[in-house]
């Protein structure tokens, strides 16, 4: 069973799917409150970089470094190198990942830089991505630059 923050990220992913995009969602949590939420909107906005995590950062707005250093990033899929880089740049100390089965992402890079990483391998997150990748291999490969 997902906690409320992973559920919020999952709901964001479903929004993206319902908009015709890639179902990856994220929320940025500060002191138990969501300050930014987002979903992959590469298709919807024609953007090469608007992954779920990047959308959540964008929607959190400008924050002082002290806020980022107290945040937890929840994401339905293990973050790619770009989203991992942004997480490290902002000094976010903890990342909770819904699943890393369909895409391994960069959890080891996060860990190597001192970030606490929890991988849930949640069945709903796994199934959502697996179903999407099976139905949309071209779009998925474009998203991960294959």
């Amino acid at each position: 069973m997902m906690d409320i923050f992973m559920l919020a990220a999952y709901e964001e992913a479903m929004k993206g799917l319902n908009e015709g995009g890639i179902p990856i969602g994220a929320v940025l949590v500060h002191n138990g409150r969501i300050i930014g939420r987002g979903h992959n909107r590469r298709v919807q906005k024609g953007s090469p970089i608007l992954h779920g995590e990047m959308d959540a950062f964008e929607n959190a707005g400008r924050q002082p470094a002290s806020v980022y250093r107290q945040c937890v990033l929840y994401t339905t899929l293990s973050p790619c190198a770009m989203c991992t880089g942004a997480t490290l740049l902002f000094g976010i100390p903890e990342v909770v990942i819904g699943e890393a089965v369909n895409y391994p992402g960069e959890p080891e890079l996060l860990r190597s830089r001192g970030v606490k990483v929890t991988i849930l391998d949640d069945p709903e997150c796994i199934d959502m991505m697996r179903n999407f990748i099976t139905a949309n291999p071209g779009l998925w490969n474009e998203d991960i630059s294959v």
Side-chain angles (χ1 to χ4, degrees):
M1 180 150 171
M2 292 183 210
D3 72 14
I4 60 169
F5 300 123
M6 186 54 68
L7 181 59
Y10 183 84
E11 289 169 351
E12 283 294 322
M14 292 306 296
K15 280 185 193 175
L17 183 63
N18 292 334
E19 293 169 355
I22 299 162
I24 303 167
V27 296
L28 188 62
V29 178
H30 178 255
N31 291 335
R33 184 177 67 85
I34 295 172
I35 62 169
R37 59 178 66 230
H39 53 276
N40 186 303
R41 295 191 303 153
R42 292 183 67 253
V43 172
Q44 301 91 313
K45 295 286 187 176
S47 168
I49 62 170
L50 206 48
H51 288 192
E53 299 90 340
M54 302 300 273
D55 195 36
F57 293 144
E58 177 74 17
N59 291 326
R62 287 180 58 196
Q63 299 294 330
S66 60
V67 169
Y68 289 124
R69 287 192 301 264
Q70 298 171 355
C71 283
V72 179
L73 176 64
Y74 288 77
T75 180
T76 58
L77 186 67
S78 190
C80 70
M82 176 180 66
C83 296
T84 293
T87 299
L88 293 172
L89 177 68
F90 295 139
I92 294 167
E94 184 174 359
V95 178
V96 179
I97 298 168
E99 71 109 335
V101 172
N102 289 293
Y103 180 72
E106 299 289 342
E108 292 310 315
L109 177 55
L110 289 166
R111 287 182 178 122
S112 77
R113 298 286 295 273
V115 176
K116 178 183 176 187
V117 176
T118 303
I119 301 174
L120 303 175
D121 280 340
D122 178 86
E124 290 180 79
C125 290
I126 293 169
D127 288 346
M128 175 178 56
M129 280 311 302
R130 181 178 293 130
N131 294 338
F132 177 80
I133 292 167
T134 298
N136 303 279
L139 187 54
W140 170 245
N141 287 337
E142 175 190 324
D143 193 63
I144 60 169
S145 298
V146 173

